[in-house]
Every structure is written in structure tokens, then in C-alpha cells.
């Protein structure tokens, strides 16, 4: 399995009231489509929850949210590349890495064709790992890859 897809640390349980509050606040923040306000709100969110939730899990969750929102909202290449770089500093579960690779490819195919080779390289890593997956995860990943259309 590629280095970037090594097993990630587990997030706290949603039964933890502090983690649940953090996730709900993060989801509320992600509902906005104004990029500057979104980023400012995330900084406030981080300050509000620091010390209440595990820092590593919080920072990984924030990096994931920033990347997915940047790609989904079709932000500029500088923003999306930076968000992806920040997210890939964290070990990601295979399913999340696959989803991130697919979202990066979708964004690149619509917004930044110059990023397609990098996105396709990430998808190639996902395809290489397919034989090592259990049947259920392989089926899900193959479905994700089949959903990508140029």
C-alpha cells in the first residue's frame, strides 16, 4: 500500500460530546460558500475546540474539510493544491485516500487540466492497491473509479 495510504489514526467516537460538537460545528461552517468567511470561521472553530478534542484528529478533519470544500466549490489551483498538500501530510485510510483522489481528479478535469497528470497518478496508486483489498472494499473502490468520467 502506498505511503500516503498507510493506516490512519482513528477519530474519536461521536459518542464523545466534545468530538460530536466539533463535527457539528464543522459541518455548519462548511455550509457556507464564501471562501474567505469559511476559512475565518474554521480558524475560530479550531480555537474554540482546541483542548477539548484530540489535536491530531481535529487538524486532519479540518484539512479534509478544507480540501473537499475547495474542490467542490471549484476554487483556484493554488487553493486546491495547497489544501491537498495539507491533507496528504496526514495518514489517510484507503477509502478516504481513494475519495480524495477521485475528488481531485473531478476538480482537475473541470477546472485545472494542468493538474490532471497529478490526479491521474493518485488514481493509479488506488488502482495498484485494488488486488490487496477485501471484496467489499474492492467493489466500493471499483464503483468509485467507474463513476469518474472525462
Amino acid at each position: 500500500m502506498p505511503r500516503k495510504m498507510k493506516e490512519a489514526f482513528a477519530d474519536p467516537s461521536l459518542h464523545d460530546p466534545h468530538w460530536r460538537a466539533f463535527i457539528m460545528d464543522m459541518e455548519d461552517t462548511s455550509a457556507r460558500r464564501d471562501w474567505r468567511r469559511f476559512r475565518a470561521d474554521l480558524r475560530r472553530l479550531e480555537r474554540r475546540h482546541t483542548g477539548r478534542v484530540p489535536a491530531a484528529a481535529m487538524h486532519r478533519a479540518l484539512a479534509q474539510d478544507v480540501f473537499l470544500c475547495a474542490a467542490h466549490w471549484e476554487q483556484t489551483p493554488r487553493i486546491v493544491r495547497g489544501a491537498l498538500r495539507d491533507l496528504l501530510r496526514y495518514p489517510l485510510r484507503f477509502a478516504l485516500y481513494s475519495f480524495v483522489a477521485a475528488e481531485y481528479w473531478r476538480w482537475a478535469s473541470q477546472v485545472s487540466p494542468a493538474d490532471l497528470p497529478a490526479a491521474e497518478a493518485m488514481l493509479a496508486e488506488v488502482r495498484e492497491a485494488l488486488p490487496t483489498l477485501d471484496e467489499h472494499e474492492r467493489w466500493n473502490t471499483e464503483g468509485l473509479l467507474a463513476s469518474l468520467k472525462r
Side-chain angles (χ1 to χ4, degrees):
M1 191 169 291
R3 182 185 62 76
K4 293 176 191 149
M5 289 186 272
K6 64 186 174 190
E7 193 58 35
F9 50 84
D11 285 340
S13 167
L14 287 175
H15 294 290
D16 175 341
H18 296 294
W19 184 253
R20 187 174 54 249
F22 165 72
I23 293 298
M24 293 177 76
D25 284 352
M26 189 173 66
E27 288 173 357
D28 288 343
T29 301
S30 302
R32 297 179 182 89
R33 291 190 74 110
D34 177 359
W35 187 254
R36 283 189 178 143
R37 184 167 181 193
F38 167 70
R39 294 294 294 177
D41 288 348
L42 283 183
R43 285 188 290 277
R44 281 191 288 279
L45 173 77
E46 182 179 3
R47 284 192 302 269
R48 185 168 49 250
H49 291 280
T50 294
R52 295 180 183 174
V53 298
M58 176 177 64
H59 291 131
R60 197 246 347 116
L62 291 170
Q64 177 183 337
D65 197 41
V66 168
F67 169 75
L68 293 175
C69 287
H72 184 72
W73 298 345
E74 298 183 351
Q75 293 296 310
T76 66
R78 182 185 62 80
I79 290 172
V80 173
R81 285 182 204 132
L84 179 62
R85 189 173 40 256
D86 289 346
L87 177 58
L88 292 179
R89 289 186 325 187
Y90 299 95
L92 305 177
R93 295 178 334 273
F94 178 79
L96 178 56
Y97 184 86
S98 301
F99 185 70
V100 166
E103 286 299 309
Y104 183 46
W105 188 90
R106 283 185 184 115
W107 170 83
S109 68
Q110 294 172 357
V111 177
S112 180
D115 285 279
L116 273 174
E120 288 172 352
M122 287 179 71
L123 289 175
E125 288 183 84
V126 171
R127 285 186 189 98
E128 286 175 18
L130 282 174
T132 66
L133 304 176
D134 66 45
E135 183 179 341
H136 179 71
E137 195 168 25
R138 185 173 46 253
W139 184 80
N140 283 338
T141 305
E142 288 170 345
L144 175 70
L145 294 172
S147 74
L148 301 176
K149 304 233 186 294
R150 237 184 232 276

